[in-house]
Protein backbone atom coordinates (compact mmCIF):
# COMPACT_ATOMS: atom_id res chain seq x y z
CA UNK A 1 0.00 0.00 0.00
CA UNK A 2 1.22 3.51 -0.59
CA UNK A 3 1.01 6.23 2.08
CA UNK A 4 -2.47 7.36 1.00
CA UNK A 5 -4.23 3.99 1.38
CA UNK A 6 -5.30 1.84 4.33
CA UNK A 7 -6.95 -1.55 4.04
CA UNK A 8 -9.34 -3.32 6.37
CA UNK A 9 -9.69 -7.10 6.53
CA UNK A 10 -13.21 -8.51 6.89
CA UNK A 11 -14.18 -12.13 7.45
CA UNK A 12 -16.88 -13.51 5.17
CA UNK A 13 -20.29 -13.62 6.87
CA UNK A 14 -20.96 -17.12 5.55
CA UNK A 15 -18.07 -18.40 7.67
CA UNK A 16 -19.12 -16.29 10.64
CA UNK A 17 -22.53 -17.98 10.55
CA UNK A 18 -20.73 -21.31 10.79
CA UNK A 19 -18.73 -20.12 13.82
CA UNK A 20 -15.47 -19.35 12.03
CA UNK A 21 -13.76 -16.06 12.83
CA UNK A 22 -11.21 -14.70 10.33
CA UNK A 23 -9.55 -11.64 11.80
CA UNK A 24 -9.53 -11.65 15.52
CA UNK A 25 -7.28 -8.72 16.36
CA UNK A 26 -5.41 -7.43 13.32
CA UNK A 27 -7.94 -6.11 10.83
CA UNK A 28 -6.24 -2.85 9.87
CA UNK A 29 -3.44 -2.78 7.32
CA UNK A 30 -1.42 0.40 7.71
CA UNK A 31 -0.33 2.80 4.97
CA UNK A 32 3.02 1.67 3.57
CA UNK A 33 2.47 -2.02 4.41
CA UNK A 34 3.96 -4.55 2.03
CA UNK A 35 4.27 -8.29 2.35
CA UNK A 36 2.12 -11.36 2.83
CA UNK A 37 -0.67 -11.01 5.39
CA UNK A 38 -1.02 -13.61 8.12
CA UNK A 39 -4.69 -14.34 8.83
CA UNK A 40 -5.97 -15.35 12.26
CA UNK A 41 -8.61 -18.05 11.76
CA UNK A 42 -10.52 -19.55 14.70
CA UNK A 43 -13.27 -22.16 14.85
CA UNK A 44 -15.66 -21.05 17.61
CA UNK A 45 -18.21 -23.77 16.87
CA UNK A 46 -18.20 -27.19 18.48
CA UNK A 47 -18.19 -28.92 15.11
CA UNK A 48 -15.34 -29.59 12.73
CA UNK A 49 -15.33 -27.12 9.85
CA UNK A 50 -13.88 -27.82 6.44
CA UNK A 51 -12.20 -25.06 4.45
CA UNK A 52 -11.40 -25.76 0.82
CA UNK A 53 -8.38 -24.42 -1.07
CA UNK A 54 -9.48 -21.37 -3.04
CA UNK A 55 -12.60 -20.82 -0.91
CA UNK A 56 -13.18 -17.13 -0.15
CA UNK A 57 -12.74 -16.61 3.59
CA UNK A 58 -12.05 -12.88 3.79
CA UNK A 59 -12.12 -9.67 1.83
CA UNK A 60 -10.23 -6.39 1.92
CA UNK A 61 -11.68 -2.94 1.63
CA UNK A 62 -9.42 -0.04 0.73
CA UNK A 63 -9.84 3.52 1.92
CA UNK A 64 -8.06 6.54 0.50
CA UNK A 65 -6.76 8.94 3.13
CA UNK A 66 -7.44 12.66 2.73
CA UNK A 67 -3.75 13.34 3.29
CA UNK A 68 -0.73 11.10 2.98
CA UNK A 69 0.38 9.34 6.19
CA UNK A 70 3.37 11.10 7.69
CA UNK A 71 5.17 7.78 8.10
CA UNK A 72 4.90 4.39 6.38
CA UNK A 73 4.41 1.21 8.40
CA UNK A 74 7.82 0.12 9.66
CA UNK A 75 6.77 -2.62 12.07
CA UNK A 76 8.33 -6.01 12.63
CA UNK A 77 6.21 -7.71 9.95
CA UNK A 78 7.02 -5.30 7.10
CA UNK A 79 8.08 -7.18 3.98
CA UNK A 80 6.87 -10.57 5.24
CA UNK A 81 7.59 -13.17 2.58
CA UNK A 82 5.35 -15.84 4.10
CA UNK A 83 2.98 -16.47 6.99
CA UNK A 84 4.78 -15.53 10.20
CA UNK A 85 4.38 -16.47 13.84
CA UNK A 86 4.31 -13.72 16.46
CA UNK A 87 7.55 -11.81 16.94
CA UNK A 88 8.14 -10.53 20.46
Amino acid sequence: LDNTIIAILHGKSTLGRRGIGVHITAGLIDPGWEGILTLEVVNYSQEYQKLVVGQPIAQLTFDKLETSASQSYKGRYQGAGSVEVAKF
Side-chain angles (χ1 to χ4, degrees):
L1 301 176
D2 71 23
N3 277 356
T4 63
I5 304 288
I6 62 168
I8 302 170
L9 178 70
H10 306 275
K12 301 291 277 185
S13 66
T14 301
L15 292 183
R17 294 167 196 264
R18 290 174 35 199
I20 299 173
V22 176
H23 73 87
I24 313 313
T25 59
L28 179 69
I29 298 97
D30 295 306
W33 160 263
E34 65 179 68
I36 294 176
L37 291 173
T38 298
L39 301 181
E40 303 158 338
V41 180
V42 176
N43 180 6
Y44 291 111
S45 77
Q46 295 186 12
E47 300 176 10
Y48 290 107
Q49 299 290 330
K50 182 177 181 178
L51 299 178
V52 179
V53 173
Q55 173 183 352
I57 63 169
Q59 59 191 15
L60 290 172
T61 56
F62 298 90
D63 290 315
K64 184 148 181 81
L65 302 174
E66 289 183 15
T67 60
S68 182
S70 60
Q71 183 175 341
S72 292
Y73 175 79
K74 291 183 175 38
R76 61 184 76 146
Y77 303 104
Q78 179 72 311
S82 64
V83 173
E84 296 193 9
V85 298
K87 296 177 181 178
F88 296 99

